[in-house]
């Protein structure tokens, strides 16, 4: 597949001739959810952003942010992250020959994401504090030291890259969908979709953004963000679209997460099911997209909550039949 920075280069803030740091991101599968379409009385499609190179939509923004950082002479990228930004920043920095400094809020990061960042040799630091405090510290360092480029989503290049998911949806469907449902963590991605549809001139779908009621300690770790940095713009976009921000209990996120796996075979991380959970709660009609933001293997430990223990059996057909009952 053509990397998104080439596919949509004229829409992105990349200088002519600038090196594009790419791992082949974008052009992700759009899969019809047959079973859930029937259940919800909708034409429901899943945009599998989990199929991006490091397993989350963050790669769309990171290819642009790291390419721009390289062009501007940065030597290191820095971010605060609950995991997926870290995994993505570390991979694209490695690809670009830059170092990556990753600030992790204490105890709040899923294991798979941590492994991805550590594998690249990135400099990981656990910050004694919340995500929001880590982000402020990273931003202040980048502000005062030109060698560091901040690649959190307050870097506008991130949003620019992420808006390309909306372009792909319109190109694939031949028009804008009626509804786009997605998780609401910091709100950057909600903003990015709104911008993408606006720039493409295809009309703004209703944006349905699922937020954890328990922002500080939801089991959906990717949206464990107490102070959404894009709240004002994201919520303005949701209002303009006649959509809704839908507060979700962890039980509602978990139920939607199980449905995606059990009914559609789509194993995502818990936060990635917040779009479906919000859609089920708010209701919708027409053609709806659920953005599946990150892969299930990112947070395999979450499965322990939901799945029963594995039974033991002898290697014998009768024993198998009995156990499978
Ligand atoms: C980052 C992330 C989110 C939240 O996106 P925002 O842009 O912060 O709202 C949701 N799901 C996954 C898997 C993520 O990595």
């Amino acid at each position: 597949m053509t990397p998104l920075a080439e596919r949509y280069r004229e829409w992105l803030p990349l200088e002519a001739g600038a090196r594009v740091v790419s791992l082949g991101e974008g052009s992700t599968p759009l899969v019809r959810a047959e079973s859930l379409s029937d259940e919800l009385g909708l034409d429901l499609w899943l945009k599998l952003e989990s199929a991006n190179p490091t397993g989350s939509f963050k790669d769309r923004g990171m290819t642009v942010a790291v390419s721009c950082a390289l062009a501007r002479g940065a030597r290191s990228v820095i971010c605060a992250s609950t995991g997926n930004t870290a995994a993505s920043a570390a991979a694209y920095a490695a690809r670009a020959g830059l170092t990556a400094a990753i600030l992790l809020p204490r105890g709040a990061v899923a294991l798979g994401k941590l492994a991805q960042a550590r594998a690249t040799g990135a400099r990981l630091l656990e910050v004694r504090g919340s995500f929001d405090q880590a982000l402020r510290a990273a931003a202040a360092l980048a502000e005062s030291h030109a060698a560091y480029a901040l690649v959190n989503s307050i870097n506008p290049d991130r949003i620019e890259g992420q808006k390309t998911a909306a372009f792909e949806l319109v190109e694939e469907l031949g028009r804008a969908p009626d509804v786009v449902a997605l998780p609401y963590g910091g709100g950057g991605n909600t903003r990015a979709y709104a911008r993408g549809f606006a720039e493409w001139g295809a009309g703004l779908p209703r944006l349905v953004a699922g937020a954890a009621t328990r922002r500080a300690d939801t089991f959906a770790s990717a949206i464990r963000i107490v102070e959404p940095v894009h709240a004002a713009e994201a919520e303005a976009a949701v209002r303009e679209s006649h959509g809704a921000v839908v507060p979700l209990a962890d039980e509602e996120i978990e139920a939607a997460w199980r449905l995606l796996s059990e009914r559609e075979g789509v194993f995502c991380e818990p936060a990635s099911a917040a779009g479906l959970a919000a859609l089920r709660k708010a209701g919708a009609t027409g053609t709806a997209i659920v953005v599946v933001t990150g892969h299930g293997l990112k947070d395999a430990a979450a499965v322990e909550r939901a799945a029963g223990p594995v039974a033991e059996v002898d290697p014998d057909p009768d024993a198998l039949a009995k156990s499978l009952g």
Side-chain angles (χ1 to χ4, degrees):
M1 281 290 182
T2 314
L4 66 85
E6 286 169 29
R7 188 171 168 185
Y8 299 115
R9 189 163 185 134
E10 66 199 280
W11 305 87
L12 296 170
L14 294 163
E15 302 287 330
R19 178 181 160 202
V20 171
V21 182
S22 170
L23 288 161
E25 53 293 315
S27 306
T28 53
L30 182 64
V31 178
R32 188 152 191 283
E34 303 289 344
S35 165
L36 292 174
S37 285
D38 288 348
E39 177 168 318
L40 298 174
L42 277 173
D43 179 29
L44 184 65
W45 296 76
L46 308 175
K47 179 72 167 160
L48 299 187
E49 290 292 283
S50 45
N52 276 300
T54 75
S56 85
F57 74 82
K58 299 298 197 294
D59 296 343
R60 286 186 187 275
M62 210 54 78
T63 179
V64 177
V66 173
S67 299
C68 290
L70 194 63
R72 292 178 198 129
R75 289 197 301 277
S76 180
V77 299
I78 184 164
C79 65
S81 176
T82 59
N84 283 332
T85 294
S88 187
Y92 284 83
R95 187 91 170 157
L98 301 174
T99 57
I102 311 279
L103 306 186
L104 306 163
R106 180 168 261 189
V109 177
L111 211 60
K113 305 172 188 181
L114 205 56
Q116 284 180 290
R118 292 175 73 186
T120 66
R123 295 292 309 277
L124 270 64
L125 297 171
E126 189 176 70
V127 177
R128 292 183 209 100
S130 67
F131 169 83
D132 306 288
Q133 290 170 314
L135 177 58
R136 277 194 288 273
L141 177 65
E143 187 71 29
S144 57
H145 292 71
Y148 289 93
L150 183 74
V151 294
N152 278 97
S153 67
I154 50 177
N155 176 335
D157 302 329
R158 282 273 311 276
I159 306 292
E160 289 296 303
Q162 286 170 213
K163 77 186 178 189
T164 59
F167 297 170
E168 289 177 19
L169 287 175
V170 179
E171 287 200 302
E172 208 150 338
L173 295 170
R175 65 177 185 92
D178 300 304
V179 180
V180 171
L182 76 177
Y184 175 17
N189 213 28
T190 304
R191 253 185 112 175
Y193 274 85
R195 182 175 302 173
F197 287 114
E199 286 187 9
W200 203 261
L204 183 60
R206 280 181 57 207
L207 297 172
V208 175
T213 317
R214 295 169 47 173
R215 273 188 170 269
D217 64 351
T218 171
F219 91 119
S221 61
I223 54 173
R224 198 179 286 155
I225 293 171
V226 179
E227 301 171 41
V229 279
H230 301 283
E233 298 85 353
E235 289 174 26
V238 166
R239 272 195 304 278
E240 190 193 333
S241 78
H242 306 289
V245 173
V246 183
L248 299 165
D250 271 14
E251 293 71 21
E252 292 169 315
I253 298 173
E254 182 172 344
W257 173 62
R258 293 182 63 146
L259 276 178
L260 282 169
S261 272
E262 292 171 8
R263 299 278 292 279
E264 300 293 350
V266 171
F267 176 39
C268 61
E269 67 171 288
S272 301
L276 178 61
L279 205 59
R280 292 177 80 213
K281 198 165 181 178
T285 52
T287 297
I289 308 295
V290 160
V291 182
V292 177
T293 48
H295 202 282
L297 291 174
K298 295 268 190 183
D299 189 4
V303 178
E304 300 298 323
R305 281 170 60 107
V310 177
E312 262 188 50
V313 65
D314 291 323
D316 166 85
D318 293 333
L320 291 182
K322 191 163 167 242
S323 289
L324 294 170

